[in-house]
Amino acid sequence: MDQIGVATALDAQFDDLPPQLQAVARWVLDHPADVALLTTREQARRAGLAPATFTRLAQRLGLPGYDALRTAYAASLRQRPDGFANRATELLERHGDEGDSAIAQDMFAALAEHVRALREPQSVACLERAAELLANARGVFCFGLRSAFPAVYMLDYIRTLIGAESVLADTAGGRGIDALRRIGPGDVLFVISVSPYTRLTLQAAAYARDKGASIVALTDSAHSPLAALADETVLVRTETPSFFHSMTPAFAAVECLAALMTARRGKPALDAIAASEAQLDAFSTFETPRRAKRRPS
């Protein structure tokens, strides 16, 4: 069984797998280079799972063990003229040999690759469909917790600037989910969560769906529990040389969605932006540069 065969089998069996094996399957599908290059124990550590679950997944596919799965992925990487294998190998070597500089270089290389992936036709098509749902919604409810909150805040902030109905469920005082009492048909819940997925976020998405609202999800895997609830899903990559996942691609996707929404709203957006600027000017919100006084000649 080669890498394509493994991925096809995992896709076909995913919904029937127990939760722990689903977590391993998500890791395998989303981290092909790591599957090929890292030991089973290291993969388990990074995924936050027990090594034995990786073996069980491989056996579920009819393989003798996880090493056979890793071998299939390694063979596929070696056949690529240019892929992630060389960059991942350099990262592992430079991390131990070159210190801070290597980590910094690889951090920015990873972020650049993740943002570049958003330019792929499939990703752009997802962004266009998501923007269409958001632009035509009666109202948009923005929900995201922990590291996802700044990105949903950005979308809500820009929607208010362009005069689009928006509600930020920010959970201040534990009342964030109260805003969802008003959600219903014609509304959209814009929601962000990446692994490890926040339980309350998933509950909010399920609630909004039950109330008849549409769901636009920004997440890190087509097999994430959030994607399963969504009408439209925008996928972003999150892995970096750091211990913490990156939210930079999520910000990039949100900024793109904001631009597309603004373009779709047309003149009403321009009028709203002008009104927003006038109100901000009335309160001297922003410090403006002062012209230097000319000295008398």
Side-chain angles (χ1 to χ4, degrees):
M1 186 181 294
D2 60 11
Q3 179 180 339
I4 294 175
V6 171
T8 301
L10 289 177
D11 277 327
Q13 299 183 35
F14 187 87
D15 291 338
D16 297 324
L17 295 173
Q20 280 194 321
L21 294 190
Q22 284 187 349
V24 179
R26 274 195 292 267
W27 168 267
V28 171
L29 291 168
D30 294 342
H31 303 83
D34 289 342
V35 172
L37 294 168
L38 302 178
T39 65
T40 303
R41 187 170 296 279
E42 177 61 13
Q43 291 181 54
R45 185 188 70 79
R46 294 191 181 194
L49 299 164
T53 58
F54 285 70
T55 300
R56 284 165 46 209
L57 178 69
Q59 292 172 342
R60 184 81 172 238
L61 298 177
L63 298 171
Y66 194 69
D67 281 345
L69 190 152
R70 290 179 58 238
T71 299
Y73 271 62
S76 295
L77 281 178
R78 284 194 295 270
Q79 292 168 5
R80 295 178 185 174
D82 184 28
F84 294 112
N86 289 336
R87 288 193 292 273
T89 301
E90 289 174 4
L91 169 63
L92 296 179
E93 294 173 350
R94 289 164 58 196
H95 180 267
D97 297 338
E98 300 179 26
D100 290 349
S101 176
I103 294 174
Q105 293 282 347
D106 286 321
M107 278 290 298
F108 291 118
L111 295 178
E113 177 60 31
H114 297 345
V115 173
R116 185 210 61 78
L118 289 171
R119 297 179 58 193
E120 294 295 329
Q122 184 177 358
S123 294
V124 172
C126 290
L127 288 163
E128 290 174 346
R129 292 193 297 269
E132 189 72 15
L133 281 173
L134 294 168
N136 294 329
R138 179 182 67 179
V140 171
F141 292 72
C142 301
F143 196 95
L145 302 176
R146 305 178 76 85
S147 62
F149 177 75
V152 296
Y153 175 87
M154 174 75 77
L155 189 84
D156 173 75
Y157 179 70
I158 294 176
R159 282 185 65 85
T160 61
L161 287 178
I162 64 175
E165 183 66 27
S166 188
V167 176
L168 177 65
D170 62 1
T171 71
R175 295 186 59 212
I177 57 172
D178 292 4
L180 299 183
R181 290 174 190 160
R182 296 186 282 120
I183 201 168
D187 294 323
V188 170
L189 177 70
F190 177 71
V191 61
I192 301 178
S193 188
V194 299
S195 182
Y197 309 103
T198 309
R199 188 185 305 276
L200 185 58
T201 302
L202 301 177
Q203 292 173 337
Y207 178 85
R209 188 176 182 85
D210 289 344
K211 297 287 283 185
S214 299
I215 311 292
V216 171
L218 198 158
T219 188
D220 59 343
S221 171
H223 296 288
S224 84
L226 191 58
L229 296 166
D231 296 278
E232 192 58 56
T233 303
V234 176
L235 297 179
V236 294
R237 302 289 298 272
T238 61
E239 63 272 21
T240 73
S242 173
F243 77 99
F244 198 73
H245 54 259
S246 170
M247 295 305 293
T248 299
F251 272 102
V254 165
E255 291 177 358
C256 179
L257 288 172
L260 295 176
M261 284 190 307
T262 303
R264 280 167 167 75
R265 286 184 64 82
K267 189 173 185 305
L270 296 179
D271 294 340
I273 292 169
S276 296
E277 288 181 329
Q279 185 262 342
L280 293 170
D281 287 344
F283 284 87
S284 300
T285 303
F286 303 114
E287 181 68 26
T288 56
R290 294 185 177 87
R291 292 183 179 180
K293 293 182 179 180
R294 287 188 177 181
R295 294 181 179 179
S297 55

